Every structure is written in structure tokens, then in C-alpha cells.
Amino acid sequence: MSLVNSKEMFKKAYEEGYAIGAFNVNNMEIVQAITEAAAELHSPVILQCSSGARKYTYGKYLIKMVEAACEMHPELPIVLHLDHGANFEICKACIDDGFTSVMIDGSALPFEENVRVTKMVCDYAHDVKARGRYITVEGELGKLAGIEDDVKVADEDAQFTNPNEAEEFVKRTGVDSLAIAIGTSHGAYKFKPGQKPRLRIDILDEIAKRLPGFPIVLHGASSVPQEYVKIINEHGGMMPDAIGIPEEQLKEASKHAVCKINVDSDLRIALTAGIRLHLDEHPDHFDPRQYLGDARENVKQVVAHKIKDVFGSENKA
Ligand code: G3H
Ligand code: 13P
Ligand code: ZN
């Protein structure tokens, strides 16, 4: 199967009460690990790349690697999605490059500005006559807490999505899905030690009530697997107090209106743990295929676990 947009994927996920994993891709091993796990479990999957990933892979390499994954797994529905598109131009460039889905992240803008830029992207992406295909668009409303390269929002500014605004935003922009803020955050340090992690499922339900059948997206949804954090910390790394979203809460969210769950940090942690452990145990190794092979296997296991035990998308391809 060639690349698809997320329209039908989300419709089925919504109706059947599961979520699709949207995994960030940055190199070949990560693309391979995700798509092998998804293929073995017959799960639809979203490969998403950030502006940082596009820069790192010079744009072209990433697209070619995703195309290779499509050839390797012809039966697998794969979405190639732009993560956190900062403006219309970036979204347009990705659409013109063959992406099947884009996110326009206007969440830091005033509401009216966010509506304007999101609608502009939708008008371009949804113009089937001009583009020859329908590209799905994800918008974002509300601010996530946390720290990451291109998305920096101070904890104090964390702001949950307002259900009234969400309804108005979706109706005025025509977006196909909406990322909301209900307590998740980007990165590996989502909560302070002792703080009780809690997603505001009540806000999610209120938004779902106003937008029946409409797919909701959760960013910053890594669970920060403690077994890998421990390996990192015991083999030369330093990630004290790395804490993620409890899987039970993600499971709950995916039974509600959440159709897409974003995971990046967990893959980074699994990959890093694999490399650190391998090099610590084999100080004489210097062939990247040895330590990257182990690291790739870790990423594959994390993705398989999410699909099977958390998101519920196994056998839904
Ligand atoms: O939410 C964004 C992803 O974690 C991408 O992060 O900008 O460092 O590639 P990045
Ligand atoms: P994590 O940092 O929780 O993996 O979130 C990733 C994300 O939201 C990508 O857009
Ligand atoms: Zn994100």
C-alpha cells in the first residue's frame, strides 16, 4: 500500500475505540523499528517528522526511507505526517514533497491568528482539484507544558484547551483532527517527583461532546519507560527523575475520542539505552551496526508494546 492520509484510519479508530500511534522518525533504524513492529502486529501507523528531523535528514533522506518502508511492507497503511509545522510555508513544502498529512501548530498564536493560518493550510491541503489528493490537517489549540527543541512553553503557561474554543476552531478552520492540552507535555520530564500525573479526561469528554465523531490528538504522550531510564542511568547516562504519562491513562484516553497518540521521547530513551548498554558491555566494539542493532530492537519492542498493550491498534490495519 502506498502512503495514505489519516481520514479513514481515524474514522475507524474513533468508531472502534482505539488510537493510532504517531511515532517520530529521525533515522533509518527508527523507521525500520516502527514499521517492522506495526507490520508484524498488522497495525496502521503514522510516521511523523518534525522540522528538526527534516533538517537532520536533509528532508530527502527521510522521505526515501519512508518510501523504502512502504515497499518493504506493502500491506501496511502508513501516514507520512509533518509534526509541529510552524507556518504555512513549511506545511506547503511538505505537502508538495508528498507528505499525506500535516500539522499546523498555531497554538502559540492568539486564537484568531491560529484560526487564520490553520484555515489557510486546510484550504491548500484539501484542494483535491489542485493537489490531486486530499491531505489531512491537524491543528492545535491550548498549550502543553514542557521543554523541547522547537516547542518551548514554560510550566506556568501551561493552558488546557477550552472546549468552547475547540468547537469554534474546528468549525471555522475545517481541520481534520485537533491536538488538545489536557495535561500531557513534551519531553522526558513531564512531572516533578511526587507530583501526581493526571490527564484531564473530563476536558477531553467535554470537547468530544461538542464535536461528536471528531478525532482528537494527544501530543507529549510518552510514558518514559523506567526500565530503559534505569539502564541509561546505570551505564553512564544521567536522567534523574524522568517521568512520563501513566499508560493506564493513555489507554483510557484512546477509548474516548483520542485517535492519535504522539510518541517521540520513549523511542529516544529506548534507543539510547540500547547504545549505552551495548557499549558498556562491549568496550571493544566500534561497528555501529552492532550497537545500533541492539538499539533498533529496543525501539521495535517499545512500539510493539504501545500497539498491543496501550493503544489497542493491533490487527486494525
Ligand atoms: O513534539 C516534538 C517532537 O518530540 C520532535 O522533537 O523538534 O526535537 O525533533 P524535535
Ligand atoms: P513525547 O516527548 O512525549 O514523546 O511527545 C512527542 C510529541 O508530542 C511529538 O509531537
Ligand atoms: Zn508534539
Side-chain angles (χ1 to χ4, degrees), residues 24 50 53 83-84 148-150 186 264 268:
N24 284 73
S50 67
D83 192 26
H84 292 287
E148 66 180 344
D149 285 2
D150 285 326
H186 291 105
D264 187 0
R268 296 178 181 196

Side-chain angles (χ1 to χ4, degrees), residues 13-316:
Y14 196 101
E15 286 167 3
E16 297 182 24
Y18 62 90
I20 319 277
F23 301 99
N24 284 73
V25 289
N26 287 288
N27 67 11
M28 182 186 75
E29 286 75 11
I30 296 176
V31 172
Q32 290 172 325
I34 299 165
T35 50
E36 277 171 26
E40 282 171 21
L41 295 168
H42 310 287
S43 166
V45 74
I46 298 170
L47 301 180
Q48 57 185 10
C49 74
S50 67
S51 295
R54 286 181 75 224
K55 205 166 145 200
Y56 182 72
T57 60
Y58 314 142
K60 296 250 175 297
Y61 284 89
L62 202 63
I63 293 173
K64 293 293 173 197
M65 286 188 291
V66 172
E67 282 173 5
C70 289
E71 268 185 46
M72 294 283 293
H73 307 290
E75 74 298 343
L76 190 68
I78 301 176
V79 174
L80 176 56
H81 176 78
L82 167 67
D83 192 26
H84 292 287
N87 52 45
F88 173 79
E89 288 69 29
I90 293 171
C91 293
K92 180 180 179 303
C94 287
I95 291 169
D96 296 347
D97 272 355
F99 279 53
T100 52
S101 182
V102 292
M103 172 188 194
I104 171 71
D105 182 357
S107 60
L109 301 170
F111 183 79
E112 284 302 325
E113 262 302 286
N114 192 357
V115 168
R116 193 191 64 78
V117 69
T118 305
K119 182 166 182 340
M120 203 170 150
V121 172
C122 288
D123 288 347
Y124 187 80
H126 294 167
D127 188 346
V128 179
K129 249 197 194 147
R131 311 273 92 73
R133 61 202 174 96
Y134 186 97
I135 295 100
T136 38
V137 179
E138 174 185 327
E140 178 167 340
L141 198 58
K143 292 185 182 66
L144 272 69
I147 304 163
E148 66 180 344
D149 285 2
D150 285 326
V151 188
K152 292 188 178 62
V153 187
D155 258 355
E156 306 81 72
D157 292 338
Q159 189 185 289
F160 296 131
T161 305
N162 175 321
N164 289 331
E165 284 188 354
E167 184 179 358
E168 184 184 340
F169 186 82
V170 168
K171 291 192 172 142
R172 285 178 59 191
T173 57
V175 273
D176 302 284
S177 62
L178 182 69
I180 61 167
I182 56 165
T184 60
S185 63
H186 291 105
Y189 304 90
K190 300 186 192 295
F191 304 97
K192 295 186 182 77
Q195 197 182 353
K196 201 163 179 268
R198 189 168 81 92
L199 294 191
R200 292 289 303 272
I201 301 288
D202 57 320
I203 297 179
L204 168 63
D205 283 344
E206 191 53 44
I207 293 170
K209 211 157 80 187
R210 284 152 199 254
L211 295 165
F214 185 80
I216 299 298
V217 178
L218 284 189
H219 280 248
S222 275
S223 295
V224 186
Q226 293 301 305
E227 65 274 27
Y228 290 127
V229 171
K230 189 165 180 282
I231 291 173
I232 289 173
N233 286 335
E234 286 175 355
H235 296 274
M238 202 166 34
M239 296 188 70
D241 304 326
I243 304 172
I245 312 289
E247 289 183 339
E248 282 311 311
Q249 297 190 21
L250 295 173
K251 241 187 202 175
E252 170 83 10
S254 54
K255 287 189 194 123
H256 293 235
V258 171
C259 295
K260 172 174 179 273
I261 298 188
N262 286 12
V263 174
D264 187 0
S265 296
D266 286 356
L267 309 187
R268 296 178 181 196
I269 290 167
L271 191 92
T272 302
I275 294 171
R276 282 200 177 277
L277 181 62
H278 186 103
L279 291 177
D280 211 10
E281 284 181 346
H282 307 279
D284 56 322
H285 282 183
F286 61 94
D287 180 343
R289 292 170 297 188
Q290 294 171 315
Y291 53 83
L292 288 178
D294 280 5
R296 179 175 59 189
E297 187 53 35
N298 278 3
V299 175
K300 186 174 169 182
Q301 280 179 22
V302 166
V303 173
H305 167 65
K306 303 268 175 204
I307 289 172
K308 266 199 303 205
D309 308 322
V310 188
F311 304 160
S313 65
E314 186 179 7
N315 291 325
K316 301 292 189 185

